[in-house]
């Protein structure tokens, strides 16, 4: 399938059936920690990037073929920013007509200032936006947004959405060592979040391959500082545990590409997923993925990750803290 994948294990949502309505890196942010590479160019235009009827047809197919109880959530997550798809609200409503499985949207929250986006998300059971910085300067440094998405627009939209939304609202803070895990940065985030009506604050760490090689997760001391400042509502997200469903794909190549294009995997994870295959067959498959140009190996933290080849990951010498904040 082209737009639906999984179920895959999620750090927040158990076994999640992913719905990807956006082409790879169609996004209005260029976050330093993004697991899908750099955003080139930044995009802030809302339109129907993928045919909505086909997306719903693929959801129906996945639901028919899924084992009972194998899907905890259906998640609109995207290879970029899903709220850029102009029919997102329609698709959420259509999915909810077809199943009682709850629907979540993982978003950067940058378009909450638009009334039509807030309205589109009202029918979702959970909305999980990002909020990585409490000041305009740090926001630009971490998220490197499109020029139209100012910090004030981001924050005011989040506050407005929290006042209107009646589902589960859980903000995610992606912690980057030396940027937003300092006492000052955390106090600024905590001060801003006091104005937001939240259910939870999720503390994430860049355990998947960050686009910039200098990005590091916080230390244990940093995590303790985060929880002390953000309070009891803040929960550290640990690596997801669960199974990857490769069953609905016609070939092993399609199955692996369907996942790693959106969800880069450690090489050790791939070997675990394919443990029922012979080592020779797995090795041939991985060699073929590289030689065909479909996949690439990205090394971060001394670990090999497999990702789709269209994702742009710079090498060390191209990944400076002084790199342009917005690439267009």
């Amino acid at each position: 399938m082209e737009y639906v994948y999984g179920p895959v294990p999620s750090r927040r949502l158990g076994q999640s059936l992913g719905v990807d309505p956006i082409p790879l890196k169609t996004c209005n942010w260029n976050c330093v920690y993004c697991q899908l590479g750099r955003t080139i160019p930044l995009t802030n235009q809302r339109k129907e990037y993928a045919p909505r009827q086909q997306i719903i047809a693929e959801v129906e197919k996945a639901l028919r073929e899924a084992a009972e109880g194998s899907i905890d959530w259906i998640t609109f997550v995207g290879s970029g920013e899903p709220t850029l798809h102009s029919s997102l609200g329609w698709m959420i409503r259509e999915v909810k007509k077809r199943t009682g499985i709850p629907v979540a949207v993982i978003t950067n929250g940058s378009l909450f200032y638009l009334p039509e986006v807030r309205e589109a998300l009202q029918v979702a059971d959970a909305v999980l936006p990002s909020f990585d910085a409490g000041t305009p300067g740090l926001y630009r440094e971490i998220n490197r947004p499109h020029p139209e998405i100012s910090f004030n627009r981001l924050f005011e939209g989040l506050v407005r959405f929290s006042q209107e939304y009646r589902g589960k609202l859980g903000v995610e803070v992606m912690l980057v060592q030396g940027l937003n895990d300092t006492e000052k940065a955390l106090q600024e985030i905590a001060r801003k979040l006091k104005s937001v009506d939240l259910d939870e604050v999720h503390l994430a760490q860049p355990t998947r391959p960050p686009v910039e090689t200098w990005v590091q997760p916080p230390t244990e001391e940093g995590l303790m500082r985060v929880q002390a400042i953000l309070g009891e509502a803040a929960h550290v997200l640990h690596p997801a545990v669960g199974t990857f469903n490769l069953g609905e794909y016609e070939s092993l190549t399609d199955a692996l590409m369907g996942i790693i294009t959106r969800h880069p995997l450690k090489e050790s994870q791939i070997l675990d997923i394919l443990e029922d295959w012979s080592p020779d067959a797995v090795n041939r498959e991985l060699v073929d993925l590289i030689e065909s140009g479909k996949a690439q190996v990205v090394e971060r933290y001394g670990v090999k990750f497999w990702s789709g080849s269209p994702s742009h990951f710079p090498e060390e010498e191209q990944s400076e803290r002084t790199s342009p904040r917005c690439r267009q």
Side-chain angles (χ1 to χ4, degrees):
M1 290 191 283
E2 189 172 354
Y3 304 109
V4 175
Y5 63 99
V8 298
S10 166
R11 291 178 293 188
R12 288 167 286 182
L13 301 170
Q15 288 294 116
S16 171
L17 182 70
V19 182
D20 184 2
I22 295 291
L24 180 65
K25 285 320 303 268
T26 301
C27 195
N28 49 19
W29 283 7
N30 183 25
C31 299
V32 298
Y33 56 75
C34 186
Q35 66 181 12
L36 297 178
R38 284 185 178 164
T39 307
I40 304 174
L42 288 166
T43 303
N44 200 41
Q45 179 185 6
R46 296 194 76 221
K47 65 179 184 179
E48 189 160 321
Y49 286 94
R52 62 183 191 174
Q53 296 285 2
Q54 183 176 342
I55 292 172
I56 296 305
E58 289 190 9
V59 172
E60 289 179 332
K61 181 177 186 293
L63 290 173
R64 285 195 306 270
E65 296 178 355
E68 185 175 355
S70 64
I71 301 173
D72 298 313
W73 286 81
I74 298 172
T75 308
F76 286 85
V77 58
S79 297
E81 173 46 43
T83 61
L84 287 170
H85 197 295
S86 56
S87 293
L88 179 60
W90 180 89
M91 291 187 288
I92 296 171
R93 291 192 296 273
E94 290 300 309
V95 169
K96 291 184 69 64
K97 288 177 183 178
R98 290 160 169 79
T99 179
I101 297 171
V103 175
V105 179
I106 296 177
T107 169
N108 62 25
S110 62
L111 298 182
F112 286 179
Y113 73 92
L114 296 173
E116 60 269 30
V117 171
R118 298 198 303 273
E119 176 63 27
L121 296 174
Q122 293 302 317
V123 291
D125 298 286
V127 176
L128 307 173
S130 300
F131 194 75
D132 301 320
T135 63
L138 197 52
Y139 168 59
R140 289 192 298 271
E141 188 168 0
I142 296 175
N143 302 123
R144 303 187 297 195
H146 189 282
E148 294 176 3
I149 309 298
S150 68
F151 179 76
N152 286 340
R153 276 186 162 179
L154 171 75
F155 177 64
E156 290 170 5
L158 178 60
V159 172
R160 180 71 63 87
F161 181 71
S162 76
Q163 294 168 343
E164 299 171 353
Y165 182 60
R166 294 296 174 263
K168 180 180 178 181
L169 182 60
V171 161
E172 177 179 289
V173 181
M174 180 63 79
L175 299 166
V176 179
Q177 186 180 143
L179 286 182
N180 61 353
D181 68 339
T182 67
E183 183 175 352
K184 180 181 179 182
L186 291 167
Q187 287 175 344
E188 290 164 341
I189 291 172
R191 189 177 304 116
K192 288 294 186 181
L193 290 182
K194 286 180 180 178
S195 301
V196 185
D197 186 9
L198 293 171
D199 294 296
E200 290 181 315
V201 177
H202 301 131
L203 306 175
Q205 304 173 70
T207 54
R208 296 171 189 157
V211 59
E212 307 300 347
T213 59
W214 51 263
V215 168
Q216 294 289 329
T219 63
E220 285 299 319
E221 179 185 353
L223 286 177
M224 292 174 62
R225 183 166 55 244
V226 172
Q227 291 191 287
I229 294 174
L230 295 184
E232 295 182 358
H235 304 286
V236 176
L237 296 176
H238 298 287
V241 176
T243 59
F244 289 84
N245 180 16
L246 307 183
E248 77 268 19
Y249 296 93
E250 295 183 0
S251 70
L252 180 57
T253 296
D254 291 342
L256 287 174
M257 291 305 302
I259 293 174
I260 66 174
T261 300
R262 306 165 172 107
H263 192 297
L265 293 175
K266 295 178 182 178
E267 190 168 291
S268 59
Q269 287 178 295
I270 292 178
L271 297 178
D272 288 343
I273 293 169
L274 302 179
E275 62 180 354
D276 292 337
W277 291 64
S278 74
D280 286 344
V282 172
N283 184 62
R284 284 197 304 272
E285 183 66 32
L286 295 181
V287 169
D288 288 346
L289 285 177
I290 293 294
E291 291 183 348
S292 67
K294 294 180 178 179
Q296 62 179 316
V297 176
V298 180
E299 188 165 331
R300 297 288 188 270
Y301 314 130
V303 176
K304 291 182 178 179
F305 293 87
W306 284 71
S307 174
S309 59
S311 295
H312 180 70
F313 286 89
E315 300 298 331
E316 186 76 41
E317 63 272 14
Q318 299 172 310
S319 183
E320 301 293 337
R321 286 288 290 269
T322 55
S323 293
R325 290 179 176 177
C326 293
R327 292 173 172 266
Q328 297 189 73

